[in-house]
Amino acid sequence: MAGKGKTVVRTLEDLTLDSGYGGAADSVRSSSVSLCCSDTHQSVSHGGNNCWHLTESMHSRQNSLDTVNTVLAEDTEILECSGQCAKLPELEDVPWSLGEVEGALAKDEDLVLGSPPPEVLARLSALINRALVRVAREAQRLSLRYAKCTKHEIQSAIKVVLSWTISVNCITAAVSALSLYNMSTGDKFSRGKSERCGLVFSVGKFFRWMVDSRVALRIHEHAAIYLTACVESLFREVFGRVLRSALLERDNGIPKLTVEALEQAINNDSEVWGLLQPYQHLICGKNSSGKTEAERC
């Protein structure tokens, strides 16, 4: 009977979605890349009757952990007193490097017009940080019910946070990456996950980042593949829009790829402007004088 009980337990363990990081959830430690807006975290060991609480300092009501925190009427007075709107947390570490960003952009033949300046890559990376936080926080909220994050939570978060056009492109890239991964079973020990998915960004780094950021207690490897492919596609999407805008203002046939051109192209693009703003809420349109709602707080 004892052997049969162990077999059942082993079967249940095999059905879990922990891909090598099951023990990480037991010690929900404070992380410098946390998705929370405050350094105050509470960690409750999972198991027994205890629930896993991410944080209570995300400016959300009833601990709902909403990603898109809209400024409510009763919060206006608080924001006016503080002199600023609630902002997204700044990530100290990101699961990619500038070299990987350059390699991801070079995969698209339409974007190969010489190597972008390092300052442009750095600024683009800083802006995409905000989109990553938005998608991860929405996936975190969707993962609360079953305490697990799969490709379905990432896909739903992409649809919620990104615009329709961009979300379709990102999901298409994610499905393609996962299909390549599933078809490359014969050489799974000779090649890494990123190579098997046809990605430049490291799937392992994104997996580790999701664990450290406490997106969920259990994270499936397919969720990491989806998020990696989404972010890589988002880099190409945003840079492609910037490049098309720079081509319209070319000087002697050479597009002006500068930080100012990057900012101007994003400011004139309604689909990416709100997404890349530092404010938690996405309702930040401009008035006739060019001021945003956040600047009017």
Side-chain angles (χ1 to χ4, degrees), residues 34 43 164 170 283 294:
S34 175
S43 59
W164 172 257
C170 289
I283 307 176

Side-chain angles (χ1 to χ4, degrees), residues 200-215:
V200 176
F201 287 177
S202 172
V203 176
K205 288 182 180 179
F206 272 81
F207 205 147
R208 185 74 262 174
W209 182 87
M210 294 174 72
V211 172
D212 290 341
S213 301
R214 297 172 295 172
V215 174

Side-chain angles (χ1 to χ4, degrees), residues 21-121:
Y21 292 103
D26 295 330
S27 57
V28 185
R29 64 187 183 280
S30 177
S31 172
S32 61
V33 296
S34 175
L35 302 178
C36 310
C37 299
S38 173
D39 293 333
T40 304
H41 310 290
Q42 56 174 215
S43 59
V44 181
S45 60
H46 101 274
N49 297 325
N50 294 331
C51 297
W52 185 57
H53 298 284
L54 295 171
T55 182
E56 293 182 354
S57 58
M58 296 180 68
H59 301 285
S60 58
R61 299 178 179 279
Q62 300 177 355
N63 201 24
S64 61
L65 306 179
D66 291 330
T67 299
V68 184
N69 293 295
T70 306
V71 180
L72 302 180
E74 56 265 35
D75 296 332
T76 305
E77 183 177 351
I78 299 176
L79 293 176
E80 289 179 351
C81 294
S82 62
Q84 61 181 359
C85 289
K87 292 187 177 182
L88 292 170
E90 295 291 337
L91 299 181
E92 296 180 4
D93 300 310
V94 291
W96 62 77
S97 64
L98 294 184
E100 291 174 338
V101 172
E102 186 175 359
L105 298 180
K107 284 181 60 178
D108 193 338
E109 296 180 357
D110 296 334
L111 303 181
V112 181
L113 290 176
S115 178
E119 59 272 14
V120 173
L121 292 178

Side-chain angles (χ1 to χ4, degrees), residues 92-164:
E92 296 180 4
D93 300 310
V94 291
W96 62 77
S97 64
L98 294 184
E100 291 174 338
V101 172
E102 186 175 359
L105 298 180
K107 284 181 60 178
D108 193 338
E109 296 180 357
D110 296 334
L111 303 181
V112 181
L113 290 176
S115 178
E119 59 272 14
V120 173
L121 292 178
R123 182 55 181 164
L124 180 62
S125 175
L127 292 174
I128 300 297
N129 282 352
R130 300 166 182 173
L132 173 63
V133 172
R134 294 188 192 279
V135 173
R137 292 180 72 178
E138 183 62 23
Q140 185 184 59
R141 183 183 68 85
L142 295 173
S143 303
L144 282 177
R145 182 169 185 177
Y146 298 109
K148 62 183 179 183
C149 181
T150 67
K151 65 179 183 179
H152 303 293
E153 282 72 32
I154 298 297
Q155 181 173 340
S156 298
I158 293 171
K159 291 181 179 180
V160 169
V161 174
L162 306 182
S163 67
W164 172 257

